[in-house]
Amino acid sequence: MNDNGSPPLFSLLDQSASSIAHRTDILFLAMLLLCGAMALVLAVLVIFFSVRYRAGARVDRSHPPSNARGLEATWTLAPLLLFMGIFVWAAHDSVAARRVPADALPVYVVGKQWMWKIQHADGRQEINELHLPVGQPIVLVLASQDVIHDFYVPAFRLKQDVVPGRYTHLSFTPTQVGDFRVLCSEYCGTEHAAMLGHVVVMSRTDYARWQDQAPLPGAATDGPTADDDSPQRLGQAIYQRLACASCHGADSSVHAPSLQGLYGSRATLEGGTRVVADDNYLREAIVAPKEHPVQGQPALMPSFASQLSEEDLQNLVAYLRSIGDRQASPSTALGAEVAR
Ligand code: CUA
């Protein structure tokens, strides 16, 4: 089914459950038909001429053409235009699929040998299961704790590498209620084939009911707070635990840059590179601060790589985002990253 409820014209798989699934299938069908037609024309001509002009065949060979510019131009330009058309079409769809809508709901995903750990914006956590409301634009912020994984949902026609040392993103809108397979699509060790999960897409009412039933992690234990375990709240606890404010605080004698309003702002690095303080930049600035020093700032900050797991880093970045530029949502900063 597509957006308006009618069955799709063509579907690669029996499930077609995201905003881009149908367009991807049509593009694939167009490529298949075009390449198939080209291969067929070439094969037929090769066989036809091989038989007709074989040695000893009694055919008229008296006036071989010495020049056929028009014909050559046609068989060169026609396929060129057709395949460039496919390229433009695919590039358009690919760019559109990477655009993150302003109202996209962020969900944090960490791949590790061999499971998917999910954290929702309200703090709810899941393993190998991702519950989402239908019709809601989503942006997955993906990180890996160890090796390269690949988050793959065939029913959504979506696949994104999950790479250690950086964040990648996947944006989509689930359009169909149901239970859809998540596969790891990058060989990542012994249990790679068992690194499976589910996306459970629910109606708005079912999703609200699920939210009521799924416990917040802090509710059962003595977490930082029992009532709010959102990523930014957990990130704030890490910020306090690591005493970041002793250098970055307003009354610190070290004069490290203030983190208030940093997210989404622009900075110039040593060497003149201009960067946007987005998820990836902030992650790098925490785990490898000496690699990319900001122009005019002494590179004093030590690396915190050994003290923070990928989930800690996601939470800390979520906290920095929450105290960042009020104009910059994850989507605008992600947009800036894509546009770079
Ligand atoms: Cu993770 Cu393959």
Side-chain angles (χ1 to χ4, degrees), residues 111-116 146-150 183-189 191-195:
K112 57 170 81 171
Q113 290 169 321
W114 287 274
M115 62 165 88
W116 299 106
D146 35 47
V147 299
I148 303 179
H149 302 277
D150 190 312
L183 308 166
C184 179
S185 186
E186 184 76 45
Y187 181 67
C188 56
E191 301 287 319
H192 155 73
M195 194 167 162

Side-chain angles (χ1 to χ4, degrees), residues 143-157:
S144 168
Q145 183 81 56
D146 35 47
V147 299
I148 303 179
H149 302 277
D150 190 312
F151 193 88
Y152 177 33
V153 189
F156 292 175
R157 312 291 187 277

